[in-house]
Amino acid sequence: MQNIVLNDGHTIPAVGFGVFLIPADGSTYTAVKEALAAGYRHIDTAQAYFNEAEVGQAIADSGIPRKDIYVTTKLWLQDYAYDSAVKGIDRSLEKLGLDDIDLLLLHQPYGEVEQAWKALEEAQAAGKIKSIGVSNMTPKLWQRYVPKFNTMPAVNQVELHPYSQQKELRDLLAKDKVVVEAWGPLGQGNKELLSDPVIVKLAEKYGKDVGQIILRFENQEGIVVLPKSTKSERIKSNLDIFGFELTPSELEDLRALDTGKGSHDPDAPGVEDYLLSNYDIHADD
């Protein structure tokens, strides 16, 4: 597995396995066990995915040493007030069954962001978290919050795929060596993207599927990719992206597919209210 160095000195596997929308009915456990068996060593979950416990159990039952598995989770904005954030961090550790978390992100950039970030910084200093970062921060949101932080985020996880390449954001983050992670790196099943002639032609040339071309492109651009699947063959193929290399001209052709627009706009009005009303991580408390 290829690793990328973060600005805090830690390393992160270049490909991770995402578990968003995989139910906590045994499906997450099965998918994570299968992903680990296939060679993944980076699992990405979140409090608002409601499946941290199954991720943790799959890791425990995998037979793979904990030190060899990179685990990411995310604090939900419902718990951004400082005291709630402190408790939320401990709750994730408990559900995951881990002594520490490799990467903890602020899942959404709204509300008491500065208080939550302080809690992350303190948990990092205490050894509970190795790296800390953010998610869904646009350039506008980044400029609003990050200059007030004492610690530069190591990661910003955002929607990114060939039709939404986040060029402005990546340019902004590059000066502080902040790694960009891609959620939805395959466009969340966008049929137009998956049948794009430029990508299909490259898949035919290299004897790969279109998903592998897309993920390899993003990888060569320095992006950490987090593909998700519950299908065995797809889980395996999404990891098999290192046996070929796209040429400079092919990379340019893929960069030209960028529309500058994704399916999610964190800057849109009403996003915070929508998220809070649709994701209650304490509903079963």
Side-chain angles (χ1 to χ4, degrees), residues 90-232:
D90 288 339
R91 189 181 305 112
S92 280
L93 285 163
E94 181 180 355
K95 286 191 174 183
L96 288 163
L98 301 177
D99 294 325
D100 57 55
I101 294 166
D102 295 283
L103 176 63
L104 185 62
L105 307 179
L106 297 185
H107 201 158
Q108 300 290 345
Y110 314 105
E112 302 293 346
V113 171
E114 293 171 59
Q115 291 188 38
W117 189 253
K118 179 183 177 183
L120 262 62
E121 289 176 327
E122 291 179 357
Q124 184 181 36
K128 294 180 179 181
I129 308 167
K130 293 180 180 176
S131 298
I132 56 178
V134 296
S135 184
N136 294 303
M137 274 201 182
T138 63
K140 180 179 177 182
L141 288 161
W142 183 272
Q143 298 284 26
R144 178 186 302 171
Y145 292 114
V146 175
K148 301 174 185 177
F149 294 172
N150 291 324
T151 306
M152 179 61 60
V155 165
N156 187 12
Q157 184 181 126
V158 295
E159 177 186 10
L160 189 149
H161 48 78
Y163 284 178
S164 179
Q165 295 182 32
Q166 300 280 6
K167 290 180 180 178
E168 179 187 359
L169 179 67
R170 287 161 60 194
D171 287 343
L172 174 65
L173 303 188
K175 62 184 177 65
D176 292 308
K177 298 182 179 179
V178 178
V179 167
V180 176
E181 287 187 314
W183 64 255
L186 298 173
Q188 297 177 294
N190 183 322
K191 292 182 180 179
E192 183 180 356
L193 174 65
L194 297 177
S195 61
D196 190 288
V198 172
I199 300 171
V200 170
K201 183 178 179 180
L202 289 171
E204 293 171 350
K205 172 185 174 180
Y206 288 103
K208 296 291 183 178
D209 61 46
V210 293
Q212 290 170 315
I213 297 297
I214 291 170
L215 294 172
R216 182 57 170 152
F217 165 61
E218 293 159 350
N219 169 259
Q220 287 186 231
E221 292 286 89
I223 309 299
V224 173
V225 295
L226 303 168
K228 182 205 81 174
S229 182
T230 56
K231 298 178 180 178
S232 298

Side-chain angles (χ1 to χ4, degrees), residues 36 41 59-60 62-71 98 102:
L36 292 170
R41 292 297 180 265
I59 290 170
S62 69
I64 299 167
R66 165 68 184 100
K67 65 181 179 62
D68 295 336
I69 302 176
Y70 193 97
V71 180
L98 301 177
D102 295 283

